[in-house]
Amino acid sequence: MTINLSREEARAILSKPKRPKYGNVKVTIDGHTFDSRKEGDRYLVLKAKEKAGEISHLDVQPKFKLLINGSALKYESGRQAVYIADFAYFDPSIGKRIVEDVKSPATKTPLYKLKKALVEKIYPAVKIIEI
């Protein structure tokens, strides 16, 4: 049996959005798009802490360049390799900058683990906390 579809019908079938790889639902809060509700919820907690004066200098999705012997690590395409954390902020109670990444067991991939290790080695003052 052969089924004939018009171009529009075929596009409608093929253009259905795929389910996210980890089943997450993206959310947008204050103009920031977060990869999951869990990440969005953590942002709201950190914003409240910043407003209360418990933390300062909240940064959303800070980037860390990956380097080897001071030279930029690049992909074959020539693009700079970077690690993008979820949040960074200053905690005056301990006098340090904190870097956080919201993770589930499924998102702790080998690539994530490698990038985390590289960032912590390249930037000795940075310790990534998984939430």
Side-chain angles (χ1 to χ4, degrees):
M1 175 177 180
T2 303
I3 298 174
N4 292 321
L5 298 174
S6 69
R7 179 173 283 166
E8 292 78 26
E9 291 170 325
R11 282 191 182 142
I13 291 169
L14 295 174
S15 67
K16 288 185 181 177
K18 293 190 320 182
R19 181 180 145 324
K21 187 175 182 180
Y22 300 111
N24 56 309
V25 176
K26 289 190 180 228
V27 295
T28 301
I29 303 169
D30 294 342
H32 300 288
T33 300
F34 299 101
D35 288 335
S36 68
R37 278 183 270 184
K38 184 177 176 184
E39 191 177 326
D41 290 344
R42 183 63 183 161
Y43 170 73
L44 294 174
V45 168
L46 292 174
K47 280 295 281 187
K49 285 183 168 205
E50 185 177 45
K51 190 173 182 178
E54 296 174 32
I55 64 170
S56 64
H57 300 89
L58 178 60
D59 191 9
V60 177
Q61 297 179 340
K63 294 181 181 177
F64 296 88
K65 292 181 179 180
L66 300 181
L67 311 168
I68 296 199
N69 295 330
S71 297
L73 182 60
K74 296 190 178 193
Y75 294 103
E76 288 181 11
S77 65
R79 187 175 56 122
Q80 166 77 53
V82 296
Y83 169 77
I84 303 172
D86 292 330
F87 307 104
Y89 54 88
F90 181 76
D91 186 340
S93 68
I94 59 172
K96 289 189 177 185
R97 185 171 191 227
I98 306 295
V99 178
E100 288 187 0
D101 216 330
V102 178
K103 288 288 171 203
S104 69
T107 60
K108 291 181 185 178
T109 64
L111 179 59
Y112 161 74
K113 291 175 183 177
L114 174 64
K115 284 185 172 186
K116 177 184 175 196
L118 285 170
V119 167
E120 290 178 344
K121 187 70 173 175
I122 295 166
Y123 304 96
V126 172
K127 174 70 176 144
I128 299 168
I129 299 172
E130 296 171 357
I131 302 296

